Each structure stands twice: as structure tokens, then as C-alpha cells.
Amino acid sequence: MRDIQKLYEAWLSHEEMPKDLKKELKAMKGKAIEDAFFQDLQFGTAGMRGILGPGTNRINIFTIRRAALAFGKYLIKAYPDAQKRGVVIAYDNRHKNTELMIETSRTLRSIGIRTCIFDELKPTPLLSFAVRHLNCIGGVMITASHNPKNYNGFKVYDDTGSQLTPEKVDLILKEFKELPELLDIKVTAPTNGYALLSDDTEETYFKNVLDIQINPNLDRKGYRIVFSPQHGAGAKLGMRALNVIGYDVIKVLDQMEPNPNFPNTKSPNPEDKAAYIEAIKNARAHGAHLIITTDPDADRLGLAYRNKKGSFSYLTGNEGGALLIDYILKHKKERGELHQDSYLYTTIVTSTLGSKIAESYGVNVKEFLTGFKFIGTQIALDDLNKVDRFVFGYEESYGCLVAPFVRDKDAIQALVLYSEMALYHHLAGKTLDVVLEELAVKHGYHHDVTKSYEFIGAAGQAKLQAILSNLRNNAPTSLGGLKVVQYDDYLVSKRYINGKEEELTLPESDVLRFYLEGGSTVSIRPSGTEPKCKIYYGIISENKKSAEALLKPIDEQLAKLFT
């Protein structure tokens, strides 16, 4: 068991401790010290993400230095030309971003890896594109995505522009074990240089974005869009795309400028309805039809729209994905661009509505574990094998990819095609709720809801593990009165059905998935980047009212376990 007080004192007295971190250390008491030092900040398949501040369980120059060093050592061992090809580094609007970017670059250069850096904040999908465009060996994005303002993170990419899969992360974790104690890691003088990236990378990316349009000649006159980047990295390219295409765009002016404190938004997370408050005010004032908001690093996108009653409704990631799948596949089929080996790539916690739509167009569906890295890696594998399979990739958490020149979620691509899809239906006299109703008639009503429970600190994490262990050891035979007909435990790669065990083919992951009579599903997954556990309800019924009635007792049963 680690000596938390000893660690705290070592940090407080460390000769290289920056003044701001030392000030925070001196102000710490009791539980704050425990939470900052009870564990090392975990490096997983999404890299690292955590609260900014001093401590082993926080994001700071020391934890970033160690992560960069482990990543660099992995690259050198895995790729003979790693030092020459180099690593791209980008950052969004977060506190300490330039400082952490410089520390990452300095650390990689100290072991001979050249770095390529941008001169201002950039979206995550541009970083993904840049890795391949520049033939680099990897990438680092300094971002906390949609997390609150006191967070930051370190997200890593391989040479394909995709986030690292678990087997590659395991190799990085081996390098972590070989490193000295956190405060004992010293960065020597750089033995390689860095390059400040020119506009060519961004211009090439932007041209590719414009090329994804399906119906570029639609009449946009009178169709108004409200746009907000939530103080993040999507402002420049998002506005440029909408303007070049020719939309009448109303900016949420007080949310356009980058700001790590997010002063003019209640939430920077498109999954949160509070993120749309100012945008809806603008939409009402200007008679707009569609609201688009990107998250701080512009890999995810949220939408609200004027419905058939004239008020505004929010699209979930599942609903938006279903609408876009239907739009894309309808036109690809009409143009003869689908074939027997065309695939939709999605995840095990994403609504089955999108999969049913894809299958109705003769498109195959492949499910992956949660995290776009698995979709990106599959795209890279398709590319390696010279097969044309990808037609769309998405997950329920508001992330999608239209064209695979990027290997991660891409909100800039998304805003181009979501706008076009919404305009297309508008010109046909349909609001998006009407289109969703039509899809429900064809494919069944899908009520997809995600609930989150927080488990903060050492005590919280211990409680969560006890809950999950209990669920595994005493798997429920019914949920909300509905019989569990199948149960998947991805941690042990087992499927339990009709009293028998089957092997699951996906990699091991801490996910439980229950299949209920009638076709509904419940998936339970601890977050890989936040102290939360998420429950994904996929309820299938005749209509919203009956679906909500089915959901209520299931939710109440699980709430008793998780609170």
C-alpha cells in the first residue's frame, strides 16, 4: 500500500516543482491529498485524462512527461524509422495546453524523435489526418474532449491515424514499468528538432471534407443554421465549411472564441442539453432551422432542430446516426455505390436502429467494443488489405465518420453532411422528427437512453468494483420483469445463453450486456476516461409511451445497485 503522505511531501519539497503546483500542494488537505495521490493516473486505450493539478493521479507536466517518454520508447522499439518520421502534436483550448504540448515535444525530442506541431489549437480529426498525410509514426492530442474545465488529457495515435488499440497500449504500459519514479524522470537536451506545420496539411484536409458532399447543389436559400464550437477548436474549420458551402449561418457569438473556462456555456458537452441554451435563443431570434454544436476538440457533434410543432428538439447520437445512415445509404444505393461487401461499423452499446437501417439497404454491420479506435483500426486494416468496405462509422456518444481519410470521429465532416441531410428533408417538406417517425414505422421504435453514475476517488472506485463483481457473480435472470435471455461478459469473453457458454470474439473489456425478451438490451460499462459507470438502455417497443413503461422498472432495479 502506497504511503500517500510521503508522496505528498516528496512533491511539496521537489526542487523542480513549478510555483503554481507548489501553491496548490500547500493548499491541499485530507481528502484532496488522498484523491491526488492514491493511485497513478491510469493510461488506457484512450490515453490519459484527468483533473489538472499536482499529484500522481492528476494531469501535470510530470505525468505528461512520463506518458510521452513511455510512448516514445514504445515507438522506437516498434518502428525502426520512428525517430526520423516523427510524431504530430496538437492541442485544443484547455488550460495548460501549450505548456503540456511543449513538454510532450521536448520529451520526445530528448530521445531522438522529431516532432511536428501546429501553431494554434486544432481539431482532433485534423491531428488524425496529419499523421498519415505527413507519414509520421504517431500522434498526440492534448485534450480533455468534453470534460469539465478543470480537466485535460493526453490522447495517442498510431501511424494509421487511429487511437491505439489495447494490445499496443499494453506495450506502452510495459515501458511505464521500466521508467524511474515519477519525480525522478529527467528530460535531457533534445537530440532532434521540431517542425512548425504549414497550411498545406489543413488545406488538404479541408478539401477532402468538402468532397464528402452528396448533393452539393441543393437550394440553401432561406435555410438557416446556428453554430457554436463551445469555445473550442471547431470554430475556424466549422465556420469555414458552412460558409464555403453557402449556408446562412448564425454564430453563437459569445461562444466562438477559444476559452478554457467555457464562460458562456453551461456545458461544453453536446450530450448535455445545457450546451444548447444560448444556441436555441439565437435560433428562435433568427428563425433558424438547425443547431450544430461541436465539442471542445471537435471530434463530436450535437444537433437540435426545429420540429413539426415549430419548437426545438434535441437529437441523440443514436438518432442522428440513424438519420445520417439512412440518407447516405439511400443515395449510395441509387447511384450504385453499394456492393455486397459494404459495411457499417458501429459499437456494442450503440442503438440497433442504425444497424437495421443498414441491413435494409443490403449493407453488412460489424460491431466493435466501445471506442472509435476499434473502428479506426478496422479501416486501417481494410486499407492494408486493399478492400473497399467502409460506408459509415458511428457510436452513440455523438461521434461519427463519413469518409475514412480520417481515422477517428470527425465533427467537421459530420457538420457538412448533417446540414445537407437536414436541408434535403426540409426541401421535401419534412422536419427531422417526421423522418424519425418514418424510420420507426419501418424498423421498430427504439428508445435508447444512457445513464451515468459517478464513483469518485479511492472509495468510489472500490465501491464500483464491488458492484460489478456482484453483478458478475450473481447475474440477474430478469430485469424490470423481463427475462434475461442472453448475457455477455466481455471481461472473460463469455456469452451465456440457454444454460450454455460460448466464446466472444471481441477483445476483453469490462462490459456486461444483457439481452431481454422482446429484443431490448442493457449494457453496463465503466468509463475509460472518467470516474463513472455508464448504463446503456436499448428499449424496443411499439411507441415511446410503451418503451418508457418498459424502461422504468429496469432503471429502478439497477439504480438500487448503483446508488
Side-chain angles (χ1 to χ4, degrees), residues 129-147:
F129 172 79
V131 171
R132 292 174 59 241
H133 179 68
L134 299 168
N135 192 34
C136 287
I137 206 65
V140 175
M141 184 73 193
I142 306 295
T143 178
S145 187
H146 58 281
N147 287 84

Side-chain angles (χ1 to χ4, degrees), residues 265-511:
T265 182
K266 296 291 184 182
S267 170
N269 184 357
E271 293 180 270
D272 188 345
K273 290 180 180 179
Y276 301 82
I277 292 173
E278 293 302 316
I280 288 177
K281 289 179 183 177
N282 278 264
R284 286 173 177 157
H286 294 275
H289 302 85
L290 186 68
I291 294 168
I292 296 173
T293 182
T294 53
D295 72 343
D297 66 322
D299 63 346
R300 302 190 310 144
L301 174 140
L303 297 160
Y305 62 94
R306 192 177 292 276
N307 59 34
K308 61 185 177 182
K309 295 180 179 179
S311 57
F312 282 91
S313 296
Y314 307 92
L315 279 178
T316 67
N318 285 313
E319 290 170 335
L323 287 167
L324 203 50
I325 289 165
D326 185 63
Y327 178 73
I328 291 170
L329 299 187
K330 168 184 167 61
H331 289 90
K332 281 185 175 291
K333 186 168 185 177
E334 289 174 352
R335 298 173 187 186
E337 295 173 359
L338 298 178
H339 50 79
Q340 63 180 10
D341 204 28
S342 294
Y343 270 82
L344 166 73
Y345 293 149
T346 184
T347 75
I348 61 173
V349 299
T350 301
S351 173
T352 56
L353 176 57
S355 299
K356 290 177 181 177
I357 293 169
E359 289 166 349
S360 75
Y361 285 102
V363 171
N364 303 286
V365 176
K366 186 168 184 177
E367 289 187 334
F368 299 87
L369 292 175
T370 308
F372 220 87
K373 54 190 163 285
F374 298 108
I375 295 175
T377 299
Q378 181 64 57
I379 294 169
L381 184 61
D382 292 346
D383 189 47
L384 182 66
N385 292 328
K386 302 187 185 319
V387 292
D388 176 23
R389 300 178 68 185
F390 178 85
V391 291
F392 189 70
Y394 84 121
E395 55 186 3
E396 55 34 81
S397 56
Y398 292 67
C400 71
L401 181 64
V402 179
F405 59 87
V406 169
R407 302 289 168 78
D408 202 352
K409 304 180 293 291
D410 189 341
I412 310 302
Q413 286 192 46
L415 69 83
V416 168
L417 223 52
Y418 270 118
S419 301
E420 183 184 305
M421 177 271 294
L423 172 60
Y424 174 86
H425 291 303
H426 170 76
L427 293 173
K430 296 178 183 179
T431 53
L432 296 183
D433 51 330
V434 171
V435 184
L436 283 171
E437 289 168 3
E438 292 175 349
L439 292 175
V441 170
K442 291 180 183 177
H443 307 288
Y445 183 81
H446 290 64
H447 188 56
D448 296 285
V449 177
T450 302
K451 295 285 186 75
S452 292
Y453 294 92
E454 283 197 337
F455 295 90
I456 297 172
Q461 289 300 299
K463 180 181 178 181
L464 174 58
Q465 291 308 311
I467 292 170
L468 295 175
S469 179
N470 180 53
L471 272 171
R472 286 191 162 92
N473 295 329
N474 303 283
T477 56
S478 67
L479 287 171
L482 294 177
K483 182 181 178 182
V484 175
V485 296
Q486 179 180 311
Y487 156 50
D488 295 349
D489 186 347
Y490 287 87
L491 192 62
V492 294
S493 299
K494 296 289 186 183
R495 168 169 290 168
Y496 304 92
I497 181 171
N498 298 325
K500 298 179 181 179
E501 290 185 10
E502 297 177 2
E503 292 292 326
L504 295 173
T505 57
L506 293 178
E508 291 182 5
S509 182
D510 193 0
V511 181

Side-chain angles (χ1 to χ4, degrees), residues 41-48 154 156 164-166 169 173 373 528:
L41 190 62
Q42 299 300 300
F43 190 101
T45 55
M48 295 191 316
F154 181 92
V156 289
L164 269 63
T165 49
V169 171
L173 293 178
K373 54 190 163 285

Side-chain angles (χ1 to χ4, degrees), residues 8 15 57 86 92 154-155 157 187 208 233 250 254 262 271 337 348 359 415 463 476 517 536:
Y8 168 74
E15 59 183 11
N57 191 36
D92 64 7
F154 181 92
K155 192 156 58 174
Y157 291 77
V187 176
N208 284 329
I250 297 99
D254 60 0
F262 304 102
E271 293 180 270
E337 295 173 359
I348 61 173
E359 289 166 349
L415 69 83
K463 180 181 178 181
E517 58 180 323
Y536 305 84

Side-chain angles (χ1 to χ4, degrees), residues 7-163:
L7 274 172
Y8 168 74
E9 291 171 357
W11 277 64
L12 188 60
S13 62
H14 187 62
E15 59 183 11
E16 292 183 26
M17 190 61 55
K19 290 181 180 179
D20 60 334
L21 295 184
K22 182 165 286 192
K23 183 179 179 180
E24 288 186 58
L25 284 163
K26 288 179 179 179
M28 281 182 172
K29 305 294 180 186
K31 189 173 184 303
I33 295 174
E34 180 184 354
D35 286 350
F37 289 95
F38 83 91
Q39 66 175 6
D40 285 355
L41 190 62
Q42 299 300 300
F43 190 101
T45 55
M48 295 191 316
R49 196 181 300 174
I51 295 171
L52 281 161
T56 60
N57 191 36
R58 297 288 185 260
I59 292 286
N60 50 64
I61 61 167
F62 300 103
T63 53
I64 289 292
R65 181 184 298 169
R66 178 172 59 180
L69 190 58
F71 180 47
K73 287 181 174 292
Y74 152 74
L75 291 175
I76 289 172
K77 289 181 179 179
Y79 304 95
D81 55 353
Q83 293 171 311
K84 179 181 178 181
R85 289 172 62 185
V87 170
V88 187
I89 309 171
Y91 59 93
D92 64 7
N93 64 313
R94 294 287 175 163
H95 282 291
K96 304 286 186 180
N97 262 357
T98 54
E99 178 182 331
L100 299 180
M101 178 273 290
I102 291 169
E103 188 65 34
T104 300
S105 177
R106 190 170 75 98
T107 301
L108 291 171
R109 291 169 59 211
S110 75
I111 56 174
I113 298 175
R114 65 183 286 267
T115 60
C116 303
I117 60 177
F118 293 96
D119 62 352
E120 60 180 359
L121 75 171
K122 298 294 181 184
T124 287
L126 178 56
L127 178 279
S128 172
F129 172 79
V131 171
R132 292 174 59 241
H133 179 68
L134 299 168
N135 192 34
C136 287
I137 206 65
V140 175
M141 184 73 193
I142 306 295
T143 178
S145 187
H146 58 281
N147 287 84
K149 63 184 179 182
N150 57 332
Y151 276 71
N152 211 326
F154 181 92
K155 192 156 58 174
V156 289
Y157 291 77
D158 64 17
D159 61 321
T160 72
S162 176
Q163 290 185 57

